[in-house]
Amino acid sequence: MALTANDDVSKGLRPGPNKNELSITANVTRKENAIMIEIRIHGRGGQGNVRAAELLAIAAFKDGKFAQAFPAFGAERMGAPVQAFVRIDDKKIRLREQIGKPDYLIIQDEMLMETVPVLDGLKSDGAILVNSNRTPEELRLNTKARVDTIPATEIAMEIIGRPIPNAIMIGAFCAISGLVSLEAAQAAIMEIFPGRIGENNVAALERANEIIQKRKNHVETD
Amino acid sequence: MLKQIEGSQAVADAVALCRPHVISAYPITPQTHIVEDLASIVAEGKLDTEFVNVESEFAAASLVLGASAAGARTYTATTSQGLLLMTEVLYCIAGMRLPIVLTCANRAISAPLSIWNDHQDSMSIRDSGWIQIHAEDNQEAADLHFQAYKIAEKTFLPVMVCMDGFILTHAFEPVDIPDQDKVDAFLPPFRPRHTVDPMYPRGLGLFADPRFYMETRYIVHRAMEKSEATIKEVSEEFNKAFGRQSGGLIKPYKLDKADLVIVAMGSVVGTIKDTIDRLEEKGKHVGLLQVCSFRPFPRKLVYQMLKDKTNIVVLEKAISLGRGGILGSDVRWSFPRTEQIDRKISNFIAGLGGRDIRMDDIEAMVERVEKEHVEFDFLGLNRDLILERDL
Amino acid sequence: MKSAVKFEKKNLLASGHRACGGCAQALACRMVLDAAGENTIACVATGCLEVFSGPYPDPSWRIPFLHSLFENSAAVASGVETAYRALKKAPVNVLAMGGDGSTADIGFQCISGMFERGHNVLYVCYDNEAYMNTGVQRSSFTPFGAKTTTTPGGNRLQKKDLPQLAVVHGVPYVATATVDDYRDLQQKVKTALAIKGPKYLHIFAPCPLGWGHAGEMSIAISRLAKETCLFPVYEITDGKLSKVLKIPLKKPVEDYLKVQARYKHLFKKGVPTTEVALIQEIANQNIERFNL
């Protein structure tokens, strides 16, 4: 099969009957108005930021979407500011640039906001989720985007016993964005974390999800 | 099976499926996950192989040289400083025609120290007699390893699979990892051509005086030229066996209607494709020629693909300091002198030391070369950091 | 025996570097530099130290430092020292520094050369028992039984004895030290710098991230390594054992192993596996060899 200038090797190979047989270098049928969503996660090394990105990507994958997750890199170090990126789309993701204009921000460490310009590039119709005991109003963030908070570290300590907020942040994110299903997030956690740890993280995920759902219902009934 | 995994994991899984007899590598960021994942695969009993933790990259390359010379299918991986440290050995391996496969997790070179991606490392080995193929994404990175062993064991030339450090090695994306039986059908057991074996005593790596040395170089050079056909064939066989296009010599994208063509290698190709689509919505027709096989450089095919294009821009992540672009030079060389006159071939260096290449940067580059011929320039240089007295 | 040496604190490795909380290497390096003083040049290998202390534009070094590669700090230091002699400049302290890899593995050739040629350089090794900067892969300093990412089931090989290798090279002063006894560590630096020729100082440096313990435990773990006799502290001068820290109240190795996640697999539900006895054997051999 000789290649000519007319060949567009991104053109489809047919998807198989089972989604798992999808030949993935193909540009799968583009959904009308399919838009890629970009999520940027900020935290400190040791808080499971990269893991959070991976879990979101696995969950999106399980939901039948295409996902790409990657970290912005520094040396291996605890406590240093870390960024991780996630892209979710209904078609294959080819873009490799770091996320400069996120639709969503997930801030795993509240204190970071004082020293790192986490809000940079956030779309005005975007949304931020901050790991914090304070309410969005108390945070007083200089942004037009929607702000949500959740005391993720507290919940983590209570349910998991370690101050790693990622499962909680993901649980809240599922409820806030609707981008990724709770079931897929649960499955992603169980796939990556063995036994007890997985179960605890799933419980934390569910608690966070509940909290946000309750808030939403509360607001709707007002 | 389709999985959402890290690029390094995809490569480790692919390498394991190739059933190497001996693996030896020295950890260096950002190749580390590949080595660690292989260590886990071996520890879990999923791969029967000798996995040797050595004291340096020089030792790792030397060890796989010995193992390959003894008839084993071997694997190693490195990047940047490690690749440079094993340079002497790499020349030996090519000169000895040992079909070793190496993953280079492309990274910039010290000094100053950088752990981030560019192509300077593998570029520094381009003259050594190693076949070098660049992956666009993690699916291709995994697939190229199956192809690499087949190519190497047919041509008796070592193969370096290049994948962008961090950008691909540490990216989590969907990759199809085939089943063992399909891989076994595609990649038969290694049949060495020349080994050290008391049953058939041979010397490998002899001392060649001026009467003999030059011919050995001619032979490797010709073997590399001929390997172009093998690289293409193996990619086609792969497509037949696994149902997808991976590797090969070059890949065009939206070339036929293009008024301007970008030539590039590696992961930046993904960003370029998105930019091309975005420009198309604005009514601009830009195409891409992705170079997969950098060595051997498929000059005839590049010429054939681009001969009707008058505006070409080469975007690359390496530089020959004191000379200019490397890929740019190779692309220009693909055109006969007479055919370079009415043609603009511009050359940009970008992304050195891991600097992010954004769609906006590529669009700006396109706008610039639409108006002028840029012989050579850097994309996104921060002039505030440059002091006249340092030049 | 209380040392008459004053504890030097000049912060020649300035705060604000990017080491992990509890990094014993950062602590040890500052102690070493403060003992050596301002008239010192450090040649540093690639590794955690260089990466956390040397980023452009704000390195933490308040003395001149030179970094080139992972494997050559000893050769680079040899060059600096040679130039000072060739140029007949006023004497300066020349230090070469590195971790596991740059000392015992990839850098072993250069350190052997430096020792053998007899350069007037103090080589300081920060031993955190694995390649930490690249993500906890095993080194030849990884002790038996320890889990690393390239020995996921626990290391089966023995720790390389670099102090002994230095002695065999004829190095006039070889010493080991720990960060929990800063006076001893700084005294050893000063003793070494007063001797002409190659010197080797091996410092035990717990790594919270790589070993799996809290940052604030680094000093305690350092102490436990001594008390369980897994890390003997001694000086060898002109080939003869000249000073040893005796351990009157020896602790069983379990006390040391139990507090680090890298040894967690050696205990099944709190009960030690047979490997622990083998590790105790190593401690017993140290006791006998150094008369601890």
Side-chain angles (χ1 to χ4, degrees):
Chain A
M1 170 181 107
L3 280 171
T4 68
N6 295 324
D7 276 336
D8 180 343
V9 293
S10 69
K11 278 223 180 75
L13 294 164
R14 299 138 307 287
N18 174 357
K19 209 143 202 172
N20 281 345
E21 287 166 19
L22 206 58
S23 187
I24 213 61
T25 51
N27 238 343
V28 184
T29 39
R30 190 183 266 261
K31 263 213 177 107
E32 276 314 306
N33 304 316
I35 296 175
M36 178 167 66
I37 302 292
E38 296 183 306
I39 305 158
R40 194 167 70 206
I41 302 172
H42 290 267
R44 289 192 188 280
Q47 288 180 312
N49 306 288
V50 179
R51 186 62 92 191
E54 291 171 4
L55 286 168
L56 278 171
I58 294 174
F61 174 74
K62 286 181 188 295
D63 274 340
K65 299 195 177 159
F66 290 82
Q68 177 198 78
F70 61 102
F73 246 83
E76 316 262 347
R77 232 177 326 116
M78 295 275 276
V82 164
Q83 288 182 63
F85 308 106
V86 186
R87 291 188 165 109
I88 299 177
D89 202 344
D90 290 309
K91 61 187 188 303
K92 182 179 174 218
I93 297 166
R94 303 176 301 196
L95 189 59
R96 296 285 171 192
E97 64 177 46
Q98 295 189 357
I99 296 179
K101 299 207 177 92
D103 296 287
Y104 293 93
L105 282 179
I106 297 176
I107 316 288
Q108 300 220 107
D109 186 316
E110 185 181 354
M111 302 306 282
L112 265 184
M113 296 194 291
E114 295 171 19
T115 46
V116 175
V118 299
L119 297 177
D120 271 6
L122 177 65
K123 294 200 174 118
S124 52
D125 60 347
I128 312 169
L129 172 64
V130 184
N131 172 12
S132 174
N133 293 336
R134 298 189 275 170
T135 65
E137 295 72 36
E138 287 169 338
L139 280 184
R140 308 181 71 175
L141 294 180
N142 182 15
T143 179
K144 288 189 173 63
R146 170 188 157 176
V147 181
D148 273 290
T149 61
I150 186 150
T153 308
E154 256 178 41
I155 297 171
M157 286 308 294
E158 186 200 317
I159 300 180
I160 304 170
R162 294 178 68 202
I164 301 187
N166 55 11
I168 294 94
M169 299 301 275
I170 293 171
F173 180 76
C174 289
I176 290 167
S177 69
L179 259 187
V180 157
S181 73
L182 188 67
E183 295 70 38
Q186 288 161 336
I189 289 176
M190 289 313 292
E191 193 177 286
I192 298 295
F193 296 111
R196 182 99 277 194
I197 300 176
E199 289 162 22
N200 289 341
N201 274 283
V202 166
L205 173 91
E206 287 166 351
R207 167 81 69 87
N209 195 260
E210 249 173 64
I211 291 174
I212 301 293
Q213 294 290 9
K214 266 207 193 101
R215 268 188 222 161
K216 276 167 116 174
N217 295 341
H218 195 78
V219 167
E220 277 153 21
T221 58
D222 273 347
Chain B
M1 193 175 103
L2 194 66
K3 304 191 225 183
Q4 180 84 17
I5 49 176
E6 196 186 49
S8 304
Q9 181 72 64
V11 169
D13 286 353
V15 169
L17 287 165
C18 293
R19 303 188 190 271
H21 302 106
V22 177
I23 299 174
S24 185
Y26 191 72
I28 175 168
T29 308
Q31 151 266 48
T32 49
H33 290 184
I34 300 175
V35 177
E36 292 166 8
D37 291 341
L38 279 166
S40 292
I41 290 170
V42 173
E44 288 161 19
K46 293 180 185 158
L47 172 64
D48 183 15
T49 190
E50 287 293 331
F51 184 94
V52 189
N53 283 314
V54 286
E55 70 277 16
S56 76
E57 290 87 352
F58 180 78
S62 303
L63 194 144
V64 296
L65 182 158
S68 184
R73 179 178 281 164
T74 58
Y75 174 75
T76 188
T78 191
T79 179
S80 177
Q81 312 304 131
L83 193 72
L84 266 55
L85 185 62
M86 57 161 77
T87 296
E88 256 202 289
V89 190
L90 297 180
Y91 273 80
C92 263
I93 288 169
M96 288 188 190
R97 306 291 297 274
L98 294 170
I100 293 171
V101 170
L102 179 154
T103 312
C104 179
N106 289 111
R107 164 184 145 177
I109 298 179
S110 207
L113 179 64
S114 168
I115 56 171
W116 293 275
N117 165 256
D118 71 29
H119 290 162
Q120 198 76 13
D121 55 359
S122 59
M123 285 296 177
S124 74
I125 310 290
R126 69 191 187 273
D127 301 331
S128 61
W130 278 68
I131 290 174
Q132 294 183 325
I133 309 181
H134 282 254
E136 163 183 4
D137 55 26
N138 286 326
Q139 181 67 69
E140 190 159 56
D143 292 345
L144 281 174
H145 287 83
F146 306 120
Q147 296 185 32
Y149 280 105
K150 198 154 189 180
I151 295 166
E153 291 170 9
K154 250 190 176 155
T155 60
F156 286 90
L157 290 166
V159 177
M160 187 178 299
V161 177
C162 298
M163 68 189 291
D164 288 328
F166 285 135
I167 299 176
L168 291 184
T169 55
H170 287 61
F172 235 69
E173 56 194 49
V175 177
D176 172 59
I177 302 292
D179 295 328
Q180 183 71 74
D181 51 355
K182 275 189 129 176
V183 176
D184 290 341
F186 176 76
L187 183 65
F190 174 39
R191 292 180 54 202
R193 199 170 71 176
H194 45 273
T195 60
V196 284
D197 180 353
M199 290 294 286
Y200 306 100
R202 275 192 182 97
L204 263 67
L206 267 54
F207 169 44
D209 72 37
R211 290 173 295 162
F212 306 111
Y213 183 89
M214 197 151 79
E215 283 67 27
T216 69
R217 284 292 167 264
Y218 174 83
I219 289 167
V220 174
H221 179 66
R222 281 292 294 139
M224 285 203 82
E225 287 183 329
K226 287 180 71 183
S227 75
E228 272 189 51
T230 309
I231 292 166
K232 184 155 171 282
E233 255 162 49
V234 168
S235 168
E236 287 164 5
E237 279 165 30
F238 183 86
N239 196 351
K240 235 169 136 197
F242 298 94
R244 57 177 172 262
Q245 161 76 45
S246 263
L249 297 168
I250 50 108
K251 283 192 242 163
Y253 181 73
K254 300 199 170 170
L255 212 53
D256 60 329
K257 278 200 284 183
D259 301 313
L260 165 70
V261 181
I262 303 174
V263 184
M265 300 197 302
S267 66
V268 73
V269 153
T271 304
I272 295 173
K273 285 182 181 171
D274 271 15
T275 313
I276 286 173
D277 287 1
R278 190 164 87 177
L279 287 169
E280 197 176 34
E281 285 166 22
K282 297 182 189 171
K284 285 199 181 161
H285 295 289
V286 179
L288 164 75
L289 187 69
Q290 176 188 350
V291 174
C292 302
S293 170
F294 177 68
R295 282 292 179 270
F297 190 78
R299 89 187 280 201
K300 292 203 177 86
L301 196 53
V302 169
Y303 174 67
Q304 185 197 326
M305 295 271 114
L306 298 181
K307 67 182 194 294
D308 299 324
K309 304 297 175 189
T310 50
N311 199 353
I312 297 165
V313 56
V314 182
L315 179 65
E316 59 183 297
K317 285 181 177 177
I319 178 172
S320 177
L321 294 165
R323 165 80 166 86
I326 300 170
L327 182 62
S329 295
D330 285 355
V331 170
R332 286 195 179 117
W333 165 75
S334 300
F335 296 88
R337 283 283 306 282
T338 47
E339 295 195 38
Q340 289 187 34
I341 295 166
D342 293 315
R343 200 186 302 269
K344 290 198 284 180
I345 304 176
S346 302
N347 193 185
F348 280 88
I349 310 295
L352 298 186
R355 183 151 313 163
D356 203 21
I357 302 176
R358 314 187 62 77
M359 284 206 284
D360 289 347
D361 299 328
I362 297 171
E363 254 193 67
M365 177 183 81
V366 163
E367 270 170 46
R368 211 174 138 198
V369 298
E370 277 175 336
K371 304 190 201 96
E372 54 170 325
H373 172 223
V374 180
E375 172 89 23
F376 173 78
D377 202 356
F378 287 76
L379 201 63
L381 201 62
N382 179 358
R383 302 213 170 256
D384 292 340
L385 294 174
I386 299 164
L387 300 173
E388 194 55 43
R389 66 152 196 261
D390 288 336
L391 299 174
Chain C
M1 182 183 78
K2 216 166 176 196
S3 171
V5 172
K6 178 176 146 263
F7 174 50
E8 305 278 7
K9 194 172 193 299
K10 301 170 189 141
N11 284 343
L12 291 177
L13 187 75
S15 58
H17 58 67
R18 304 176 186 185
C20 301
C23 171
Q25 182 180 77
L27 193 55
C29 182
R30 174 162 59 80
M31 292 176 184
V32 167
L33 295 190
D34 288 355
E38 281 99 342
N39 190 31
T40 304
I41 297 173
C43 302
V44 182
T46 316
C48 275
L49 176 60
E50 194 278 332
V51 169
F52 72 64
S53 69
Y56 180 86
D58 30 38
S60 300
W61 295 78
R62 293 166 67 196
I63 57 161
F65 88 111
L66 178 54
H67 162 254
S68 73
L69 299 172
F70 184 18
E71 65 268 35
N72 67 357
S73 62
V76 169
S78 300
V80 171
E81 182 258 359
T82 303
Y84 264 72
R85 278 186 286 118
L87 297 166
K88 299 193 175 29
K89 291 206 215 184
V92 80
N93 293 322
V94 180
L95 307 182
M97 293 192 176
D100 300 35
S102 48
T103 307
D105 299 330
I106 199 172
F108 188 62
Q109 177 194 323
C110 288
I111 202 179
S112 175
M114 184 193 99
F115 286 164
E116 177 261 314
R117 294 187 302 269
H119 289 276
N120 188 22
V121 172
L122 166 58
Y123 191 102
V124 180
C125 171
Y126 304 99
D127 180 5
N128 53 27
E129 304 193 327
Y131 300 144
M132 293 313 186
N133 184 235
T134 45
V136 200
Q137 297 91 16
R138 72 63 78 173
S139 75
S140 65
F141 280 166
T142 303
F144 177 80
K147 181 173 174 173
T148 68
T149 58
T150 46
T151 56
N155 185 36
R156 314 309 304 163
L157 302 172
Q158 296 294 337
K159 190 181 175 78
K160 190 186 263 189
D161 186 350
L162 203 17
Q164 187 60 31
L165 284 162
V167 169
V168 167
H169 276 76
V171 169
Y173 182 77
V174 175
T176 66
T178 58
V179 291
D180 61 279
D181 188 350
Y182 54 80
R183 283 202 188 87
D184 177 70
L185 193 158
Q186 290 193 323
Q187 173 64 71
K188 282 168 174 162
V189 171
K190 292 192 177 199
T191 304
L193 290 173
I195 296 170
K196 258 203 110 100
K199 285 83 62 176
Y200 180 72
L201 178 60
H202 189 115
I203 303 179
F204 189 69
C207 168
L209 184 60
W211 295 13
H213 61 81
E216 56 268 30
M217 287 287 288
S218 294
I219 300 288
I221 285 180
S222 208
R223 207 163 272 144
L224 277 170
K226 290 195 302 202
E227 291 166 342
T228 55
C229 305
L230 284 170
F231 189 81
V233 174
Y234 57 87
E235 279 173 310
I236 296 180
T237 312
D238 294 322
K240 295 213 172 52
L241 191 64
S242 49
K243 189 159 137 201
V244 175
L245 177 72
K246 291 199 189 285
I247 311 290
L249 288 161
K250 299 177 179 55
K251 295 193 171 143
V253 297
E254 278 95 327
D255 289 3
Y256 171 74
L257 301 173
K258 271 199 166 126
V259 291
Q260 301 169 61
R262 64 176 173 153
Y263 290 117
K264 194 170 65 171
H265 61 285
L266 297 181
F267 297 90
K268 305 269 189 255
K269 294 194 209 289
V271 177
T273 59
T274 48
E275 263 104 338
V276 176
L278 292 172
I279 297 172
Q280 186 62 61
E281 235 329 278
I282 296 169
N284 296 343
Q285 283 167 13
N286 286 336
I287 293 167
E288 202 183 301
R289 182 174 158 207
F290 293 99
N291 200 8
L292 298 176

